[in-house]
Amino acid sequence: MRVDRGPGPMSAVVARPARIPSALRRARGRLHLYAFYALVLVLLVTAIAAAGRWAELDQLTAIRERAEARLDLQTAMLEQELARYHYLPAAVGLNPIVRQLLAQPGRADLRDAGNRFLQALNQAAGASELYVLDAGGRVLAASNWNQPLSFVGIDLAYRSYFQDAVRTGVGRLYGIGTTSGEPGYYYAQAILDAGQTIGVAAVKVSLDRLESPWAQGPGLLAMVVDGDGVVILASQPAWKYHTLVPLSLETVQRIQTTRQFERASLTPLDMHRERDLDAGTRIVSLGEETGRRRRELLLQERTLATSGWRMILLSELDDVTLVVRSVQAVAGLGLGSLLLLGLYLRQRRRSRRLELAAKTALERANLELEHKVAERTQDLLAAQDKLVHAGKLAALGQMAAGITHELNQPLAALRTLSDNAKILLQRQRIGEAEGNLDLIGQIVERMGRITTQLKVFARKPVGVTGPVPLRPVIEHALVLVADRARSQEVAIGVQIVPPEVQAVADGVRLEQVLVNLLSNALDAVGSHDGGRIEVKVGRRDDRVTIAVADNGHGIPPEILPRLGEPFLTTKDPGAGLGLGLAISDGIVRELGGSLRGRNLAAGGAEFLVELPMALMTEGGDG
């Protein structure tokens, strides 16, 4: 019997190899699928990168072509400006007075004649300065002989342009003047007599006017670098007298000896070479002084034939980056869409195999779902109608409560005025009674405006504002609370500095705010002895401040952070609705101001209204 049970386990062992090929096929299929996805991802990234490189190359080519024309123009203008005054030293060397002065430097009459000749010639040419040096480098005559910073008599033998002129016949230099402190281009030419150098004529030219168009041109960043790599002209003033690369010790000593850049630091610019495109064109990065980001710029340069200077033009590449990213995004979206389309078609083929089996169940589920959707839609429509109705009731309730609160004080004033009018009529004081009746009419008209403004406030419209004198508004508000203040024996002080101050506001709505604040202050003061309310109007910069302070019990600490919330009140039930500050805060905000409340250190509370100040008429204080 035990032998008979043996085939059971053996049969199980024999069955396992039959399942191994199926598992291997599934694993192999998954590996193939993952490999396909990886290949597609690599191709997608490669295509996006290629699209970005193509877009960058296209944009760089367009920028280079545009900048080439500007670079040629700027280089030609600079060459023309440098050569414009080269004739002056030669003309000076030919003048007989100058040659006599070099032969007899001690004669005052020749020096005076030479000064006047150079002055007249320089005024006609329009250069900065024109002067003559003897063979030792001392200035004998100059066009600025009669100015405080005259060159006459100073020793310029240390200047490289003088040394070059003596050695080779011509000298050029851009540097900072050691006498005037003004930078300029110096051109010098030797004055010869029988083959011997008897002196040097030099002209100084300011090149500042060449920088103005650079600074004003949109996207034009330009600089001129001398043979040592020092920036001598630039569209950005902060770049001047910096270097493109650190200077050698020998170059620094030579510049210091010739005092070419007096008092200039000559520190290197924070510019790094990123990659070269071709001869004279490369991409560099420039550090920003006020930010963390480094800007990438396209650098193109030309070498000036006569001076050896380099004209450098820098073009912004922000648009290139934007275009490259846009092209890459479009390429990514396009290729991603194709990939998704392929996946969709593959999934669609798979779903079709299941469609026939699930069709009946799906139709039944669709019918049930449509039935449930119809039921829920009806429920939602009913709930929506209820919410709209509830919202309308809430809005009507708030408006009714607001109107009740706002008309409370005017109604009290109407009753007082009508009682007074009755007594005055009984006493045959007709004139005073008519005055009370006129005031009643004004209050009734104001009440009408209040209800209209409250409706407008509830719908949050844009109110009509304009210059409003604050004194009449405050006086009208005080009239509405005057009877209550007398009954509580509360003194109200008013201080308006300056008296003619005006605010940009709506007089009726601002009066509502003041009545609310005064009423709250009267509530806070109560009927205890010594109750006082102060209304102070002042200015703070371009704002008008209206402070209403009392010496009452102050604002409870738990209420202070919640000022302005609707229906928040510390009054007894039936004494207030808690809408005054909420309505006042809304009115002040619509007028472009602010309303704040705080407790005073001496006791009591203060509410501060800030509004835009209106320009006063002539005769006012400002």
Side-chain angles (χ1 to χ4, degrees), residues 397-431:
Q398 290 181 358
M399 184 179 294
I403 292 174
T404 301
H405 179 85
E406 293 299 330
L407 296 184
N408 186 34
Q409 291 296 331
L411 287 173
L414 285 176
R415 179 165 184 173
T416 301
L417 292 172
S418 62
D419 290 343
N420 290 340
K422 184 189 298 182
I423 295 173
L424 292 172
L425 289 173
Q426 291 174 356
R427 297 177 180 178
Q428 298 300 316
R429 295 162 65 179
I430 304 302

Side-chain angles (χ1 to χ4, degrees), residues 115-162:
N115 285 332
R116 296 185 182 279
F117 164 71
L118 294 175
Q119 182 182 18
L121 181 60
N122 187 61
Q123 288 178 350
S128 296
E129 309 296 345
L130 185 62
Y131 47 100
V132 175
L133 305 90
D134 62 16
R138 184 171 298 278
V139 179
L140 298 180
S143 61
N144 61 354
W145 62 275
N146 58 347
Q147 297 179 9
L149 298 178
S150 172
F151 290 177
V152 177
I154 65 175
D155 186 1
L156 297 178
Y158 58 86
R159 282 298 204 180
S160 62
Y161 66 84
F162 170 78

Side-chain angles (χ1 to χ4, degrees), residues 87-114:
Y87 74 93
L88 286 177
V92 171
L94 296 176
N95 184 265
I97 297 177
V98 172
R99 301 183 75 87
Q100 292 176 22
L101 176 61
L102 290 172
Q104 305 177 58
R107 288 183 56 179
D109 58 335
L110 291 176
R111 185 183 305 110
D112 182 64

Side-chain angles (χ1 to χ4, degrees), residues 2-307:
R2 293 177 181 175
V3 175
D4 295 337
R5 289 194 297 268
M10 289 298 295
S11 62
V13 172
V14 173
R16 286 194 188 101
R19 292 194 295 269
I20 292 176
S22 178
L24 289 175
R25 283 196 300 270
R26 288 195 297 271
R28 189 180 297 112
R30 286 196 297 269
L31 288 176
H32 289 168
L33 183 61
Y34 296 153
F36 172 75
Y37 286 155
L39 178 61
V40 170
L41 181 60
V42 171
L43 292 176
L44 182 63
V45 172
T46 304
I48 292 174
R53 286 194 295 270
W54 172 84
E56 182 184 30
L57 180 60
D58 181 71
Q59 290 296 308
L60 288 177
T61 301
I63 292 176
R64 287 168 61 185
E65 291 176 353
R66 290 194 300 267
E68 285 285 345
R70 291 193 295 182
L71 185 59
D72 292 338
L73 176 62
Q74 296 298 329
T75 303
M77 291 176 61
L78 182 57
E79 289 273 18
Q80 181 181 2
E81 188 68 17
L82 294 180
R84 180 179 177 184
Y85 300 96
H86 284 181
Y87 74 93
L88 286 177
V92 171
L94 296 176
N95 184 265
I97 297 177
V98 172
R99 301 183 75 87
Q100 292 176 22
L101 176 61
L102 290 172
Q104 305 177 58
R107 288 183 56 179
D109 58 335
L110 291 176
R111 185 183 305 110
D112 182 64
N115 285 332
R116 296 185 182 279
F117 164 71
L118 294 175
Q119 182 182 18
L121 181 60
N122 187 61
Q123 288 178 350
S128 296
E129 309 296 345
L130 185 62
Y131 47 100
V132 175
L133 305 90
D134 62 16
R138 184 171 298 278
V139 179
L140 298 180
S143 61
N144 61 354
W145 62 275
N146 58 347
Q147 297 179 9
L149 298 178
S150 172
F151 290 177
V152 177
I154 65 175
D155 186 1
L156 297 178
Y158 58 86
R159 282 298 204 180
S160 62
Y161 66 84
F162 170 78
Q163 299 170 4
D164 293 341
V166 172
R167 186 175 64 255
T168 65
V170 174
R172 297 180 178 87
L173 175 72
Y174 186 92
I176 300 175
T178 56
T179 301
S180 63
E182 298 293 333
Y185 169 66
Y186 297 86
Y187 179 77
Q189 186 170 333
I191 302 175
L192 304 177
D193 186 14
Q196 298 294 323
T197 300
I198 62 174
V200 172
V203 61
K204 178 182 179 181
V205 181
S206 174
L207 301 179
D208 291 344
R209 64 179 181 177
L210 291 177
E211 295 177 310
S212 299
W214 301 349
Q216 298 172 2
L220 179 62
L221 300 176
M223 67 175 70
V224 176
V225 181
D226 67 4
D228 294 323
V230 180
V231 179
I232 56 177
L233 298 173
S235 59
Q236 306 295 316
W239 293 352
K240 294 184 70 170
Y241 311 124
H242 287 269
T243 63
L244 296 186
V245 294
L247 301 179
S248 65
L249 180 60
E250 179 183 356
T251 303
V252 172
Q253 291 177 348
R254 174 171 53 79
I255 292 176
Q256 291 176 349
T257 301
T258 60
R259 300 171 67 183
Q260 180 179 359
F261 299 106
E262 192 84 354
R263 297 181 295 275
S265 60
L266 302 181
T267 56
L269 281 174
D270 187 14
M271 181 183 292
H272 301 303
R273 179 180 300 200
E274 299 298 333
R275 63 183 187 273
D276 292 335
L277 299 179
D278 54 26
T281 305
R282 59 183 177 270
I283 293 179
V284 298
S285 63
L286 185 65
E288 298 283 1
E289 296 182 358
T290 58
R292 300 178 182 177
R293 184 176 68 90
R294 297 184 64 84
R295 287 192 299 171
E296 281 200 346
L297 302 165
L298 179 67
L299 184 147
Q300 296 167 269
E301 63 180 33
R302 291 280 189 279
T303 301
L304 278 69
T306 57
S307 61

Side-chain angles (χ1 to χ4, degrees), residues 354-431:
L354 302 174
E355 185 177 355
L356 294 176
K359 186 175 182 179
T360 304
L362 183 59
E363 290 177 352
R364 184 168 54 252
N366 285 337
L367 291 175
E368 293 178 358
L369 181 60
E370 289 177 359
H371 181 67
K372 290 181 179 180
V373 169
E375 291 180 351
R376 295 295 174 88
T377 302
Q378 294 298 327
D379 294 341
L380 289 175
L381 291 176
Q384 182 180 3
D385 292 339
K386 292 180 180 179
L387 288 175
V388 171
H389 185 65
K392 291 180 179 179
L393 292 178
L396 290 174
Q398 290 181 358
M399 184 179 294
I403 292 174
T404 301
H405 179 85
E406 293 299 330
L407 296 184
N408 186 34
Q409 291 296 331
L411 287 173
L414 285 176
R415 179 165 184 173
T416 301
L417 292 172
S418 62
D419 290 343
N420 290 340
K422 184 189 298 182
I423 295 173
L424 292 172
L425 289 173
Q426 291 174 356
R427 297 177 180 178
Q428 298 300 316
R429 295 162 65 179
I430 304 302

